[in-house]
Every structure is written in structure tokens, then in C-alpha cells.
Amino acid sequence: MNTLTNVTTAATTATTPAPAPSRAWQALRKMASAPYRSAGLFAWRFAHNKLGMDPVFKHLLSRGLIAPRARVLDIGCGQGLLASLLRAADTAAARGDWPLDWAQAPHGARVTGIELMPRDVERAQRALGAQAVKGADAMDAAEFVCGDMRHTPFPASDIVVILDVLHYIDIAEQNRVLERVRTALQPGGRLLLRVGDASSRRGFRTSQWADAIITFVRGHRVLPVFGRSLAAWVVKLEALGFEVETVPMSRGTPFANVLLIAHAAHTAHAAEAP
Ligand SMILES: C[S@@+](CC[C@H](N)C(=O)[O-])C[C@H]1O[C@@H](n2cnc3c(N)ncnc32)[C@H](O)[C@@H]1O
């Protein structure tokens, strides 16, 4: 940041009160959706609606679950919405537009996204790739890889995010992905995993129906999904050496979604897990 920007930011911060959390969130939602205009109306609407309805994104920011300068791996990143939100957050915080009762903004977080669907990767790259960000140097741009999480190498990361993705592969494959995530995470790193709780039958079945409809509307083949109870998710993560916190994460929706905040212990994990 140059001196002029520093002065401007300081002046803005001194004269403008920090925004209320709800106003700040609406501004971030607008800013994070805007880049998708270059990827088409569908991509923009999808981003705007998802940020409006899904409680997880605001939770990640307000609680500071993405640390400043973190290397973030977003597995099953779709059209890269998290990367767009983190960039918007960085810009807003630099201007002083950050609620005082939120945790520190994720300044300089850098995202690598892995996504199976070429069309989503294309949307992400159009909206957020290096060429899409005027004046950005290579380090500033998010990177998106088109690949299957079962085979794509995971880079060393401080934070791994997997939101509503693992149920597309079977339990043995889920376990292998989680083991590779644990290896990719640096000591003290964190996995942010959202899953449906299969022991909550109604909510889980509702999310399966919603998933099938959205998959069909987006022109993809509807495939079977694989869930497990929240207790079973926790057992698996603990066996991998994570300390796990669970947070219900489907407020305002009929689903049974839970965010698992899994802290990687500093010591090596046990190789075998149930
Ligand atoms: C419900 S969407 C969630 C997208 C994003 N995580 C979010 O919360 O906005 C699930 C995403 O996982 C992707 N996906 C499914 N199977 C995958 C696989 N084997 N490897 C990588 N991505 C996959 C889908 O294409 C889809 O974009």
C-alpha cells in the first residue's frame, strides 16, 4: 500500500464510524457478486442469491475463521465465491468498512480452488483470475484448478475449506480425501468442513432433494450422495488428529447442515482411522 492510500485509509477510518454488521454484510455481498457480471447473468445471480441465503459465508468472516495471509485451499469451490468474498473483505477492511465487533479481516488471504465442473472453473477464472483483476500482480489473483478432488494434488495450506462437497463421493473416498487434507495442512492449520447430518433424517433428505434439483437445473447428471451422522464425522476427524468444534449452519434453510471447525494438532496424526 502506498503512502497516499495509507493517509486516505486513516482519514476514512478516523471520520467514518465502522458500519453496522448487517450494512457491512450487504455491502460485501454486493462487492463479492459484482465480478461475476463479466461471467454472465446466471453467475452473478447465483453469487448474489447464495450470499443472501447461506449463513456460512458471513459466519466465516465475522468469526475470523480465515486468518490474514492464510493460504486457503477451497475444495469443490464452484464458481469461486469464497475467493471473491475474501477479496471483497480485504478491500472493505482496507477502507475502514469493517464492523468493530467482527474478528480481524482476512487481509491477503490467497485462495487455490479445486473444482470438477469446467463451466464453474471458467466462471471463476473470468470473474477472478489474474487477467480479470486490473492492476493485480500474480500473487493477488486467486488460482482455480479444474480437477477431481479424489486425484488432484493438494498444495500445502493453512486453511482448507470444503463446503457441501464431500457427499458426492463414497465413504472410503471421503476418508482418503480427509487424510490427504490432514497431510496438506500445516501444523496448527484448520479444516472448515460443512456437511449434512444424516442422523437428522428430515433435514438431510430435504438437502438431498434440493441438491438433486440444483444439479439437474445446472445441466449435470444427478448422482447418489453419501452421508454420515454428525457423530461419525467427528469420530473420523478426531482419529485424524483434529480437535473438532461443531456449529449448526443451516439457519434460515430447511437443511441439517453443520460446520465442523477442525483444528490440526501440532503433532503428527495416527495413520489408521475408523
Ligand atoms: C454444492 S456445490 C458447493 C460449492 C461451493 N463449495 C460453495 O459452497 O459455494 C458442490 C461443488 O462440488 C463440486 N464437486 C463435486 N464433486 C467433486 C469432485 N469429485 N472434485 C471436485 N469438485 C467436486 C461440484 O461440481 C460443485 O461445484
Side-chain angles (χ1 to χ4, degrees), residues 77-125:
C77 64
Q79 62 178 26
L81 195 49
L82 177 65
S84 191
L85 183 62
L86 293 179
R87 183 172 295 166
D90 204 339
T91 306
R95 288 185 197 146
D97 284 342
W98 197 254
L100 290 175
D101 58 353
W102 282 11
Q104 195 180 4
H107 289 295
R110 177 166 168 69
V111 178
T112 300
I114 296 176
E115 167 55 46
L116 187 63
M117 296 296 168
R119 204 181 296 172
D120 278 320
V121 175
E122 202 182 302
R123 287 188 183 116
Q125 282 168 339

Side-chain angles (χ1 to χ4, degrees), residues 73-244:
L73 173 62
D74 186 5
I75 298 177
C77 64
Q79 62 178 26
L81 195 49
L82 177 65
S84 191
L85 183 62
L86 293 179
R87 183 172 295 166
D90 204 339
T91 306
R95 288 185 197 146
D97 284 342
W98 197 254
L100 290 175
D101 58 353
W102 282 11
Q104 195 180 4
H107 289 295
R110 177 166 168 69
V111 178
T112 300
I114 296 176
E115 167 55 46
L116 187 63
M117 296 296 168
R119 204 181 296 172
D120 278 320
V121 175
E122 202 182 302
R123 287 188 183 116
Q125 282 168 339
R126 271 212 213 158
L128 303 162
Q131 284 150 1
V133 186
K134 288 197 189 90
D137 60 29
M139 286 306 289
D140 184 41
E143 183 191 1
F144 299 98
V145 178
C146 189
D148 188 323
M149 63 182 155
R150 289 170 293 187
H151 318 298
T152 305
F154 297 159
S157 307
D158 303 303
I159 297 177
V160 176
V161 182
I162 312 179
L163 301 177
D164 314 333
V165 181
L166 279 189
H167 58 282
Y168 293 113
I169 57 178
D170 70 33
I171 300 291
E173 292 170 328
Q174 291 174 6
N175 287 343
R176 278 197 290 278
V177 167
L178 289 173
E179 284 152 20
R180 288 172 50 227
V181 163
R182 180 67 186 84
T183 304
L185 272 173
Q186 298 305 290
R190 184 183 291 153
L191 165 65
L192 303 169
L193 171 67
R194 187 166 67 175
V195 294
D197 177 2
S199 66
S200 168
R201 290 188 184 204
R202 189 196 253 191
F204 190 67
R205 204 172 298 145
T206 308
S207 60
Q208 281 180 300
W209 276 106
D211 202 293
I213 292 166
I214 292 168
T215 304
F216 181 74
V217 167
R218 292 171 81 196
H220 305 315
R221 208 149 50 96
V222 177
L223 297 167
V225 297
F226 304 89
R228 41 183 143 183
S229 68
L230 179 58
W233 282 111
V234 171
V235 166
K236 175 65 196 173
L237 291 175
E238 287 180 347
L240 287 171
F242 287 104
E243 280 170 26
V244 186

Side-chain angles (χ1 to χ4, degrees), residues 25-52 79-81 84-85 88 127-128:
W25 175 247
Q26 290 313 325
L28 283 172
R29 178 185 175 198
K30 196 170 164 194
M31 213 191 303
S33 311
Y36 291 99
R37 287 191 187 279
S38 63
L41 190 59
F42 173 87
W44 176 79
R45 273 207 191 124
F46 186 84
H48 198 255
N49 289 341
K50 183 143 196 186
L51 290 173
Q79 62 178 26
L81 195 49
S84 191
L85 183 62
L128 303 162

